[in-house]
Amino acid sequence: LQNVFAPDVSEYDPSLEVDSSLLDTCKPHHRQAVEFAMHDLYGKRMEALISLPESWKKHLCTHLLNDKRDYPLLLTFLQCILWLIFSSTVQIFLLPQNSWGYLWILVHIPVTWLLLAERFILAMHYAAHRPLFPKRGPYRHTAWLLNNLPQMVLSNFWGMPSGAYYLHHIVMHHNANNCFPYDISSTMPYDRGNFVHWIIYMINFLLHTMLYLPFYALLKRRYGLALLSLYTSSCYMIVYYFLSHHAPLFFNISLGTSFLIGPCALMLGNFSQHIFVDPKNPASNYGLATNHLQVPFNMLTFNDGYHITHHVNSHCHWSAMPMHFIKNIDQYEAGGAICFKGLNFTEVSIAVFTGRLDWLAKQIVQLRPDPLTHEELVAMMRERLKPISTDRLGAKQKAVFVLNQFMWVVAWLVGFPCASAPAIAAPIFHVMSAFIMA
């Protein structure tokens, strides 16, 4: 059970062949970082909790998948589908449709969010960058459906509206590269050491994403994506309204709770990934994120801890990111990259919010031949937490924000489920932005 939530990263996977020359050929001051990264490179993967017969695996890897290394992603999606089918069947057909039925939330939420959320979200993330199934060939139509199933259907159960993920993450976040005001999830203008600023950041995402994404696509002349975003968002609103009125227990347990949990979890994740931003060069991939070495959650999230690496090369395969870090470690050193050992993103954010920079400095793995002192590390982190002056929102962006707020108020008035949360959050957002971020 411990390995399901916190895998042992002290040993290598005995089934893998370890290249010990990586340690022998690295520079002396890089040896510790390389040693830690090798545990992520050769660790035992724990994303998939189910397995298939070996003959099935061989067929899938040989004939269906674009890359056989993505077999764990396929298993991760399959285990999520099986769980959602089971939980949905229980809610719709077996549970009493009254207050007693809501006791199922005590089962559904822990499994969906504590056990499967990180696994699913990161599987979807890497599958968005590198589709699992070939877009050409005799099965291309089936492949299109399977490639889009996580983002169009499954994502809703983890608080991400249908069709929004690709446009938000691939088109906006990676192109704008955490730079405000173009990336709506940019952390740059916030005091990232202040928990209240994270609340403002999260509310901004909750309020403005749905209409800002098609607006951003229009700005980039991605007209097809803009239309698709408006279409999927409309379907999302219609289906949610229908389910809330005709299957309220299923909706509230499976979708309504995720509507509220999702923005908090997703924006804590993104905020944590970009909590330290180098004010001298905020657009540098080495200065806008952090890498996390030899940490259990890398075995659960397809090496998500290598977030600098992912921004340096978003097409680098998830299984190869530790090797990319090892092979290009001189560039990470030159770019002033921050690397932590044994900590996940949330642990770093909690340490920052609670003022434990002294403790956090002790967890940094330095890449320099002349290491910074403890005091210099703390000072460097404080500097990278400060708000960064950027361009302000343009008139068109502000208009889209206001329109999105108005949309949520109208949705609340006509009875759209959960719309009360963003509708009530809108005036709170304005007050907090005016008095706290001024």
Side-chain angles (χ1 to χ4, degrees):
L1 184 60
Q2 181 180 350
N3 276 335
V4 170
F5 292 97
D8 181 9
V9 290
S10 64
E11 303 290 340
Y12 297 143
D13 185 340
S15 67
L16 300 177
E17 184 177 347
V18 178
D19 182 3
S20 58
S21 68
L22 295 172
L23 273 176
D24 299 333
T25 57
C26 71
K27 295 177 180 179
H29 62 282
H30 292 157
R31 184 177 178 85
Q32 186 183 51
V34 171
E35 183 180 358
F36 293 153
M38 287 177 65
H39 283 272
D40 298 317
L41 183 63
Y42 298 115
K44 182 173 176 57
R45 310 307 314 180
M46 287 298 297
E47 291 91 354
L49 303 174
I50 62 172
S51 60
L52 296 176
E54 195 63 28
S55 59
W56 293 24
K57 175 182 177 180
K58 183 177 180 180
H59 179 79
L60 289 167
C61 292
T62 305
H63 300 290
L64 292 181
L65 292 175
N66 271 326
D67 190 326
K68 65 181 181 181
R69 295 175 297 177
D70 286 328
Y71 181 66
L73 270 74
L74 178 62
L75 289 181
T76 300
F77 288 139
L78 179 58
Q79 71 191 14
C80 291
I81 291 170
L82 292 174
W83 163 247
L84 291 176
I85 290 174
F86 171 74
S87 182
S88 299
T89 300
V90 169
Q91 293 171 58
I92 295 172
F93 298 109
L94 301 180
L95 291 178
Q97 301 300 301
N98 54 39
S99 57
W100 287 104
Y102 283 96
L103 289 175
W104 183 251
I105 203 169
L106 300 176
V107 177
H108 181 84
I109 294 300
V111 175
T112 304
W113 282 97
L114 298 181
L115 180 64
L116 297 178
E118 281 188 324
R119 291 172 163 92
F120 168 76
I121 293 169
L122 273 304
M124 181 181 69
H125 166 242
Y126 290 114
H129 281 281
R130 299 169 59 102
L132 263 62
F133 303 99
K135 297 179 180 179
R136 297 176 182 176
Y139 304 108
R140 62 185 181 277
H141 298 300
T142 302
W144 183 89
L145 289 173
L146 292 175
N147 283 329
N148 284 281
L149 178 66
Q151 297 180 52
M152 295 295 184
V153 180
L154 303 182
S155 63
N156 295 281
F157 291 89
W158 281 276
M160 292 169 281
S162 176
Y165 188 81
Y166 182 87
L167 182 49
H168 178 275
H169 183 76
I170 307 294
V171 178
M172 183 190 71
H173 181 63
H174 273 281
N175 281 315
N177 212 28
N178 195 53
C179 289
F180 190 83
Y182 311 105
D183 182 355
I184 195 174
S185 54
S186 169
T187 59
M188 287 173 54
Y190 299 89
D191 178 356
R192 293 174 298 282
N194 188 332
F195 179 72
V196 177
H197 277 236
W198 172 77
I199 294 176
I200 299 172
Y201 173 82
M202 183 272 296
I203 295 176
N204 176 54
F205 175 81
L206 173 67
L207 282 176
H208 304 132
T209 304
M210 188 166 287
L211 294 186
Y212 183 80
L213 291 178
F215 168 76
Y216 182 86
L218 288 174
L219 283 181
K220 297 300 177 180
R221 299 184 179 181
R222 303 287 295 272
Y223 302 120
L225 274 177
L227 288 174
L228 179 62
S229 177
L230 290 171
Y231 172 74
T232 55
S233 294
S234 299
C235 292
Y236 165 84
M237 300 287 281
I238 292 170
V239 171
Y240 265 46
Y241 185 86
F242 176 85
L243 288 175
S244 69
H245 285 78
H246 295 277
L249 185 135
F250 166 74
F251 172 83
N252 290 328
I253 293 177
S254 292
L255 300 172
T257 53
S258 293
F259 181 90
L260 301 175
I261 296 172
C264 297
L266 292 167
M267 287 302 98
L268 179 59
N270 196 77
F271 197 86
S272 303
Q273 289 170 337
H274 299 281
I275 197 167
F276 292 111
V277 182
D278 187 352
K280 298 174 184 175
N281 193 2
S284 166
N285 290 317
Y286 300 99
L288 57 75
T290 52
N291 267 10
H292 299 244
L293 317 178
Q294 197 180 350
V295 57
F297 96 116
N298 278 339
M299 298 298 107
L300 306 176
T301 61
F302 307 95
N303 290 324
D304 184 47
Y306 288 79
H307 205 65
I308 293 176
T309 307
H310 181 60
H311 273 266
V312 170
N313 182 1
S314 62
H315 294 288
C316 180
H317 193 269
W318 61 268
S319 65
M321 289 199 295
M323 182 65 81
H324 182 284
F325 170 73
I326 293 170
K327 293 292 187 180
N328 299 278
I329 197 167
D330 286 329
Q331 297 175 29
Y332 289 80
E333 177 190 335
I338 294 179
C339 298
F340 292 103
K341 190 264 182 180
L343 298 179
N344 62 37
F345 291 114
T346 303
E347 289 170 326
V348 170
S349 287
I350 292 173
V352 168
F353 293 149
T354 55
R356 300 175 64 205
L357 294 184
D358 281 307
W359 174 80
L360 205 54
K362 298 174 184 177
Q363 319 308 318
I364 291 179
V365 181
Q366 298 201 54
L367 308 179
R368 300 160 53 106
D370 53 337
L372 297 175
T373 66
H374 180 82
E375 291 73 20
E376 289 172 330
L377 286 174
V378 172
M380 180 265 291
M381 286 191 287
R382 290 192 192 282
E383 188 67 19
R384 293 195 183 191
L385 289 171
K386 293 179 181 178
I388 296 173
S389 298
T390 63
D391 295 335
R392 294 183 176 275
L393 288 171
K396 293 181 180 179
Q397 289 170 302
K398 290 180 179 178
V400 173
F401 279 20
V402 171
L403 183 61
N404 211 151
Q405 294 171 25
F406 179 73
M407 183 204 79
W408 285 121
V409 172
V410 172
W412 182 23
L413 294 176
V414 299
F416 180 80
C418 304
S420 58
I424 294 171
I428 297 174
F429 173 78
H430 285 286
V431 172
M432 294 180 74
S433 298
F435 291 98
I436 297 175
M437 293 191 63

